[in-house]
Each structure stands twice: as structure tokens, then as C-alpha cells.
Amino acid sequence: MNDVRSDNLPPLREVVARHGLMAKKSLGQNFLFDLNLTGRIARAGGPLEEATIIEIGPGPGGLTRALLAHGAKKVIAVERDDRCLAALAEIAEAYPGRLDIVPGDALALDYPALIAERGVSGPIRICANLPYNIGTQLLAGWLTLDPWPPFYDRMVLMFQREVAERIVATPDKRADYGRLGVLAGWRCAARILFDVPPAAFTPPPKITSSVVELRPRQEPLPCDAKALEAVTQAAFGQRRKMLRQSLKSLPGIADPAPLLDEAGIEPTRRAEEVDVAGFCALARSYRARRG
Ligand code: SAM
């Protein structure tokens, strides 16, 4: 369905030219100017009317404008590139009281504190065309928040296609299945919504991108995030080896056999054959042994 909602603001290309926003590779800048596409991503985060959206990296504001035009109650936009702030201020003026610009590094932000500070009510979602260089790091941070369920009720995020496939991977998709898939599968139900070709961006990246939706599980399997990260790192760090061998790299575990036995996993299995529930069981036994 095409539902292009324009605003009275100037076209994005004009905004970029007027503010001299030449894309910087070091900041992972690939901008979206296509209103069909920004509208489609915004609608994936809908219904927006009651929602506050946290957007990472608004840049010149293509997706920001779509989110506001499609009715988001409020957008809190975190941008590291100061060059974009004047363009974003114009959007804030066009949507009084609805765009909160937070200059700074999205990796360094305490999100629950920011939300408490802003006194946000109603559902909160994270929606972003993420800078590719820090996308997985940001996602890992949002997936390992405590307490759980987290402050957001959904994430709609753009990644490189290859990263998107790793996020939604399960043991039957062996090549893609790894630490990220276990972490995402443990705490969220994740799916790829649609692909976006390189030509949709300015400048075009070399690879296809995908928009991923992640919905937090209300009751994920009991498991400690740090222990889960440790066991998946050890297991997938040597993914071709059997677990009885690869798990020897776990700090303090000379013999992984009792750990595997307690978790009900055959010692001859390899990491890519163990599902999320198996890794959670392994993390619980590891945690119990390490204290
Ligand atoms: N949302 C815009 C769009 O779709 O056209 C821009 C997306 S661009 C892929 C990524 C954006 O993230 C850029 O605006 C970049 O400056 C910003 N960015 C990069 N690193 C950041 C960081 N650590 N914290 C906040 N924003 C960052």
C-alpha cells in the first residue's frame, strides 16, 4: 500500500544541500530520501498515535519526518553529527512539541534514564535506519537490558541484509546462526519485514539492507545475559569443534562435561546444533558453577 504523507517542509535533497550535509562514511551515513520507503518503515512501527519513538541517527530527518507525518505522538531523536542539528531543528519547529533532539552518542546513552527524565507515557518503540558500523552493538545493548520486559514494546530497525539474517537465524540456518541469533531469539521474536536495495540510499551502500522487527518476549527463558554471552562466545568462537572441546575456553571450566550433562546437551554436539533453550540451560549451569 502506498501512503505517502508529505509535510510542508522542503524536499530532503534541498535540506541536505542547504546545510552542506555531505554523507560521512565514518558515521555510517547512508540517507533515505524516498518518501514511499520512509513511510513504509514508519508504518511498520505503527500504530503511532499513542507512541513515543526513539530514533537513532535521524541525520537530515527523512525517517523522522515520516514518523511525525504518520502521527507519532513524539519522536526522541539521538544524533551524533552536529551538522544535522539545524536541519532537525526545522523539523521540530514544523511539529511543535513533538520532536525532542538529543545530540550525542547513542552507544553512550542510558535509555531507561532518558525516558524517565522525559516523563514519557504510553508505548515506546525504537525505530531507526541504524549506522551500520554500530548497529549490532546497539542491538546487543537493547537485548541485554535488565529488568525485562524492557522499556520498548517493539524495535523496527534497518541492518545490512547479512546482519538481519544472523538476527533471525535458527539452528536449521547453520551458516547464519550464532551469538546474535541466540541473544535475539532468547529475548525477542524477530523477523525480517522487507529488503531495501542499495539504490534507495544516498550514497548507495554496496549491499542490500533489511528492515527487522523485534518484539520482546514477556517471559523469556530464565537466564543470565552475561553467562549467555560467555557460553555463546566460547561455543561459536570455535563453531566447528564439538562443545566438549570448545567450552574449555570458558573461564574456570577445565572440563565442560558436567556442564553439558547438567544442561542435557550431548558433548559431541557443535554450537550450531544447539537451540536457544539449550544455550539458556548451558548458561544457567555455567552461572551456577561460577557463582
Ligand atoms: N535516519 C537517516 C536516514 O534514514 O536517512 C540517517 C541514517 S544513517 C544510516 C545513520 C545516522 O546515524 C547518521 O545520521 C549518523 O550521523 C548517525 N550516527 C552515527 N553514529 C552515531 C552514534 N554513535 N550515535 C548517534 N547517531 C549516530
Side-chain angles (χ1 to χ4, degrees):
M1 183 187 72
N2 261 2
D3 176 15
V4 176
R5 297 203 193 168
S6 57
D7 42 39
N8 292 324
L9 289 158
L12 277 159
R13 283 184 198 283
E14 192 185 311
V15 173
V16 166
R18 184 157 45 84
H19 291 280
L21 301 178
M22 296 294 292
K24 280 192 190 172
K25 206 174 172 190
S26 61
L27 286 172
Q29 291 182 337
N30 300 95
F31 300 136
L32 292 173
F33 296 146
D34 177 346
L35 296 185
N36 277 310
L37 190 57
T38 51
R40 194 171 174 203
I41 300 170
R43 286 196 304 279
L48 293 166
E49 285 68 23
E50 302 297 320
T52 295
I53 308 294
I54 299 194
E55 187 194 356
I56 306 304
L63 179 56
T64 321
R65 282 165 61 166
L67 288 162
L68 291 163
H70 281 80
K73 184 171 83 170
K74 190 159 193 134
V75 176
I76 300 177
V78 184
E79 176 55 63
R80 185 176 193 172
D81 185 354
D82 289 349
R83 297 178 313 155
C84 299
L85 300 181
L88 293 169
E90 290 171 6
I91 305 173
E93 211 172 298
Y95 290 96
R98 290 174 58 199
L99 175 58
D100 184 350
I101 304 158
V102 180
D105 181 356
L107 281 174
L109 211 58
D110 178 340
Y111 292 87
L114 174 74
I115 285 153
E117 215 175 81
R118 298 298 200 269
V120 175
S121 62
I124 300 170
R125 284 175 206 137
I126 306 176
C127 187
N129 170 16
L130 290 176
Y132 287 154
N133 39 356
I134 57 166
T136 50
Q137 209 179 329
L138 283 168
L139 177 64
W142 295 324
L143 289 172
T144 49
L145 286 166
D146 272 313
W148 197 269
F151 63 84
Y152 56 85
D153 73 356
R154 198 184 324 162
M155 298 192 274
V156 174
L157 303 171
M158 177 114 71
F159 294 94
Q160 294 138 284
R161 169 95 206 172
E162 168 258 324
V163 175
E165 278 166 355
R166 286 200 278 130
I167 295 168
V168 304
T170 44
D172 52 319
K173 295 264 184 303
R174 290 194 181 179
D176 299 320
Y177 185 55
R179 295 168 63 187
L180 198 55
V182 173
L183 199 56
W186 168 46
R187 280 209 149 160
C188 287
R191 63 186 178 126
I192 293 178
L193 296 181
F194 54 88
D195 287 346
V196 181
F201 299 87
T202 305
K206 290 198 174 66
I207 32 74
T208 296
S209 302
S210 303
V211 175
V212 179
E213 177 199 75
L214 295 112
R215 290 181 186 254
R217 297 187 192 285
Q218 293 308 297
E219 292 186 20
L221 291 168
C223 177
D224 173 72
K226 285 207 165 51
L228 185 63
E229 283 187 277
V231 294
T232 52
Q233 184 174 358
F236 287 105
Q238 302 177 76
R239 59 191 298 146
R240 298 274 159 249
K241 290 197 175 154
M242 293 177 193
L243 291 168
R244 68 180 177 201
Q245 185 61 31
S246 59
L247 292 184
K248 282 186 184 164
S249 65
L250 270 175
I253 300 294
D255 178 13
L259 204 69
L260 287 159
D261 184 48
E262 201 171 293
I265 299 169
E266 284 171 39
T268 52
R269 294 258 171 232
R270 293 177 171 80
E272 58 199 16
E273 297 170 319
V274 177
D275 63 9
V276 172
F279 274 109
C280 288
L282 210 45
R284 285 194 298 274
S285 326
Y286 179 55
R287 177 74 202 268
R289 262 148 224 279
R290 296 287 292 167

